[in-house]
Each structure stands twice: as C-alpha cells, then as structure tokens.
Amino acid sequence: MDKLIMQGGQPLSGTIPISGAKNAALPLMTASLLTSEPLILRHVPHLADITTLAEVLGEHGAELSLHGHGEGGETGRVLSITTPRITNAVAPYELVRKMRASILVLGPLLARHGEAKVSLPGGCAIGTRPVDLHLKALEQLGATITLEGGYIHARADNGLRGAHIRFPAISVGATENLLMAASLAEGETILENAAREPEIADLAACLNAMGADIRGAGSETITVSGTTRLRGADHRVIPDRIETGTYALAAAATGGDVTLTGTRPELIDSLTELMQQAGVAVTVEKDSMRVCRDPDRPMEGVDMMTQPYPGFPTDLQAQFMACMATAQGAAMISETIFENRFMHVPELMRMGANINLHGGTALVRGVKQLTGAPVMATDLRASVSLVIAGLIAKGETEINRVYHLDRGYERIEDKLSACGASIRRERV
Ligand code: EPZ
C-alpha cells in the first residue's frame, strides 16, 4: 500500500490539465455491451476504477484495447471496446465489491442479452448504497428480478418494453441504467424525476451517436424511443467537473493562483458562486478557469448544502470542508445525499480542525492553522480532502491507504508538484 508524504505551506501556482470524467467514463464503458460493434472512447482517465470495470466487461465477452495518449495531442487514453456477443451474464462479487459502478452492467446486459446475474454491490464507507431504485424501474420495463445468495438475478425473456417511470428519489446510477436499458426496449420510455448530472447528458449523447433516440437528458424528464439494435460510435468523455472543483478548492485553500485547463467551468457554477462569496477570485473562460486568493486574506466561512445537480455536488463536500477549516468565521456544511459522508471529519480534527457534527450537518469553525499529522484515507473524496489539508498544514502530513485516491485522481502528486506542492509517494 502506498502513502503520500506532504510538507504544507506552499501556495499552489501554475496550470493543471483536467482529465476525462471518471463518473462519465464508467457508464460509457458499460454502454459498449449494448452493441456488437466497436465503441471508441477518448480522453479516458487513467484510474484504478477504469481498470477494474474493464475487467468486469471482459467477464461478459468484451474485447478491450487501450492506446496511450491519443493522436493530435489528445489527452487521456483511447479505449476501444467490442463485445461481439455476451459470453457470460454474471458480474462476480469479487469484482463488483471493488467497483460499485459495476451495477451499471445490469441494464445493458438485460437489454442486449435478456439476462443478468450481478452481485449486489454492498455498502461502502459513505453509506449502504442500495439499488432498489434501479431494480423497481427495470421491473417496470418488464424484467423479472429475484435476489438470491447476494446476487441480483434479472431476466427479460420476451425483451424489455417501454414504460412511464417516475423515480421516487433522484439517483444518478438508476437513471443511467434505465437510459441504457430503455434504448433497446420496445416502444417509448419516459423517465420522470431523472437525475440531471452532466455525466447523464454525456451518456445520452453517446447512446444517440450509437443510434438511440433519447431526448431531454440533463433535465428531470427524459424520453427514450426504443430501437432494435445499436451500432458503434466514437465519443470523447467530458472533462471531470469533480477533479476541476477539487483543484480549484486546493488553489483557494493554499492562497495560490492556478489555472485549470481543458475543463467546462460551467459544470461547477455552484462551487464558483460559493468560492466568490468566500472572497476567492475566480475567472471563468470557455474551457478553463483561474482561481486565486491573496494568501494574506483568509477565506470567509460560507454555509453549504449538498444537493443533486445543479446544486452543490456531494463529491466536493469533503474538499470544501478542508477549505473551510482555516477560513475566517464559521461554515455550516449539510450533507443531504449520503448518510455517512463525514469520514474525513475525525482525520481533519487530528490536524487541528474545529468541527462539530450534528447528524447530517457539520459546523466548521475556522482555526488559524492546521498541523501536519499521520492520517488515514477512508474513501475517495475523504482522501483528497486530507491532501488539501496537508497542503495548508504546518509541517509534515502522511496519508495512508492512498489506493482510495488512485481510484479517482489521475497522477495527483504530479499535478500538484507541478504547481509547487511538496508531495511525494512512498511505497509501504
Ligand atoms: C453516483 O453514485 C456517483 N458515482 C457518486 O460519485 C456520486 O456521489 C453520486 O452519484 C451522487 O452524485 C458514479 O457516478 C460512478 P445515486 P450513485 O444513485 O449513482 C440513494 C465518487 O466519489 N439510492 O445518485 O451510486 C443512495 O444511497 C462517487 O465519485 C437509493 O436509495 O449515486 C444515495 O443516498 C461517490 N437507492 C442517493 O440515493 C438506489 O437504488 C444518491 O445515490 C440508488 C441510490
């Protein structure tokens, strides 16, 4: 297991290129199961989660080839996936438990193959993570679903039929699974109370390029007219808005001056507004954003509540909290999406942060300075909030279990070192 060793106190200064979005690339990869023709994905980030999902797809008969950096200065990698036929409908526990997003093979396997046996993903550090919304909606498309031995066994012997589905609660993954399943269902499907995250619009754009007929993705009501088959496509993954927000917050926290390039700043307007309220200068261009703060002028504490898109993303909550730890005044941070997404709090407190938890709300009172300490990463976004804390803490911070980080951040120590951070990886 690797660890990161950091010396805090250096304001970040320079440019950080943003990679393709992990949470777009994962569903896009599972969409390849819907066709026997090659699906080419460009700007794919180099992450552990991508590698794990590639293994899962291989179990089902997908043939994958990965090329280095794409031609013409394309950043990221080019991934080509072809599934001539589904050779095995089982997504095994040992892979699914490593990669919850494997649940996204359920819809495509059902639609293409008429059967799927997917291990229940189980919970993770941030919550129980049920999949009931996925299953109930797939049953409305005509699937018969039983749970046995920790596996979801889904069948659609007569194919799937379109339906009018109203999600009782907003779910990104359930919306994605249903978009893919409905693309090959007979007739029209309407998804109401659908998630509006940009990764869903990106998936819909790729599915439409494959021959699907999806309208309204990105809004709360999506209409899908099913078709009998889908073809291959060539699709570029959208930039990662969560990586963008993470490095924007790191720049603000350190009192630095950083330009984030190859991104879509409008996808994190909710964060930009809060940072500007806190006294950070944010300049937005079409595909870049510049974040700077005078190191002699601390950020102001501002309240925040996580919400489904376009509200403040839950995936930036831990990073925002690390920023608020040394702000002027206090910040009330409410987590409304997951029931246990404050695992970073005890670790931040070990570094001197003053945080009080009341159920789903954390009251952060700004302190003058954090102090470096050995800390433990617990989940992907909690780990990166500890990196932000380590960047601003006095002295040395050692972050253990950084495999959590590698799931969602491509070359984080390179990107931060290039902006002046003192951060190195050590093999343990
Ligand atoms: C996606 O997870 C993201 N993962 C998460 O990012 C992100 O935090 C989340 O959406 C919310 O934006 C990927 O895209 C791979 P949900 P997902 O279904 O689809 C409950 C990261 O750090 N729920 O929108 O699993 C659920 O427990 C990860 O990159 C049900 O109750 O999220 C949660 O409380 C973490 N039943 C809420 O809904 C269901 O059937 C939102 O979950 C499904 C979800």
Side-chain angles (χ1 to χ4, degrees):
M1 277 202 272
D2 294 356
K3 63 182 177 182
L4 290 178
I5 311 288
M6 306 177 68
Q7 292 292 340
Q10 301 296 327
L12 293 179
S13 167
T15 299
I16 297 182
I18 297 301
S19 304
K22 166 179 86 80
N23 290 350
L26 294 171
L28 287 167
M29 287 170 71
T30 61
S32 65
L33 296 174
L34 290 164
T35 176
S36 59
E37 298 179 17
L39 177 62
I40 314 279
L41 298 174
R42 299 177 186 282
H43 197 39
V44 176
H46 188 173
L47 299 170
D49 271 7
I50 301 289
T51 307
T52 306
L53 187 59
E55 265 181 79
V56 173
L57 296 180
E59 292 277 321
H60 300 308
E63 295 150 10
L64 299 98
S65 61
L66 203 49
H67 311 288
H69 282 261
E71 56 276 4
E74 172 69 83
T75 53
R77 302 180 300 169
V78 181
L79 178 59
S80 163
I81 313 176
T82 309
T83 312
R85 58 190 189 81
I86 304 292
T87 56
N88 169 9
V90 180
Y93 174 65
E94 58 274 12
L95 283 176
V96 174
R97 71 181 175 82
K98 267 168 67 180
M99 241 297 300
R100 291 188 37 75
S102 311
I103 191 67
L104 295 173
V105 302
L106 184 56
L109 285 176
L110 255 184
R112 169 99 185 273
H113 186 60
E115 183 184 16
K117 205 167 174 202
V118 180
S119 165
L120 277 163
C124 69
I126 62 178
T128 51
R129 310 290 294 272
V131 290
D132 55 311
L133 298 174
H134 301 239
L135 304 185
K136 287 199 186 75
L138 289 170
E139 284 177 330
Q140 285 188 257
L141 292 188
T144 52
I145 293 181
T146 53
L147 301 183
E148 54 199 73
Y151 276 76
I152 301 159
H153 196 178
R155 300 187 67 89
D157 298 333
N158 306 316
L160 296 172
R161 283 179 313 286
H164 188 153
I165 294 167
R166 174 167 177 65
F167 287 112
I170 292 176
S171 161
V172 171
T175 303
E176 292 167 341
N177 246 330
L178 269 290
L179 266 188
M180 293 187 280
S183 296
L184 286 179
E186 188 189 333
E188 182 175 80
T189 295
I190 297 173
L191 301 178
E192 276 195 68
N193 202 24
R196 299 171 52 190
E197 272 65 9
E199 292 73 31
I200 286 165
D202 199 37
L203 175 62
C206 180
L207 289 168
N208 283 341
M210 294 166 69
D213 178 357
I214 299 170
R215 278 153 284 133
S219 76
E220 61 196 20
T221 303
I222 305 176
T223 305
V224 185
S225 299
T227 181
T228 50
R229 63 182 290 279
L230 293 175
R231 53 180 182 265
D234 186 327
H235 181 81
R236 189 177 194 274
V237 179
I238 54 167
D240 194 321
R241 62 193 169 98
I242 304 303
E243 187 194 23
T244 305
T246 300
Y247 289 123
L249 285 162
T254 58
D257 182 349
V258 173
T259 299
L260 306 167
T261 58
T263 188
R264 284 187 40 196
E266 76 280 7
L267 301 184
I268 49 166
D269 278 346
S270 56
L271 172 65
T272 300
E273 276 156 39
L274 283 190
M275 285 201 292
Q276 287 169 337
Q277 277 173 38
V280 179
V282 183
T283 319
V284 167
E285 304 291 343
K286 183 174 160 305
D287 60 359
S288 68
M289 67 193 284
R290 182 175 174 191
V291 178
C292 43
R293 175 175 72 82
D294 175 349
D296 299 328
R297 193 184 150 209
M299 288 171 83
E300 293 292 323
V302 286
D303 295 346
M304 179 275 278
M305 176 182 282
T306 64
Q307 289 170 312
Y309 192 87
F312 191 96
T314 174
D315 292 348
L316 287 175
Q317 178 260 105
Q319 301 92 312
F320 184 78
M321 188 183 291
C323 235
M324 289 291 104
T326 56
Q328 194 95 29
M332 181 83 84
I333 294 176
S334 302
E335 172 57 60
T336 68
I337 306 292
F338 289 106
E339 69 264 29
N340 183 34
R341 203 166 197 179
F342 285 141
M343 309 280 279
H344 42 290
V345 170
E347 299 304 304
L348 291 172
M349 290 173 74
R350 296 188 61 242
M351 298 174 74
N354 178 348
I355 306 170
N356 281 307
L357 290 182
H358 304 276
T361 296
L363 178 61
V364 184
R365 290 185 176 88
V367 295
K368 193 113 182 65
Q369 188 156 53
L370 297 179
T371 312
V375 288
M376 183 76 72
T378 50
D379 64 87
L380 169 55
R381 308 302 175 180
S383 342
V384 84
S385 84
L386 300 177
V387 171
I388 292 176
L391 289 171
I392 58 178
K394 183 169 178 296
E396 181 170 288
T397 297
E398 178 184 294
I399 303 177
N400 294 290
R401 295 189 183 177
V402 289
Y403 57 84
H404 289 296
L405 264 178
D406 297 337
R407 292 188 42 215
Y409 290 93
E410 190 176 34
R411 301 179 297 108
I412 187 164
E413 64 268 29
D414 299 347
K415 293 189 177 184
L416 289 174
S417 310
C419 286
S422 162
I423 178 172
R424 71 177 193 279
R425 182 182 288 253
E426 269 186 15
R427 286 229 174 279
V428 182

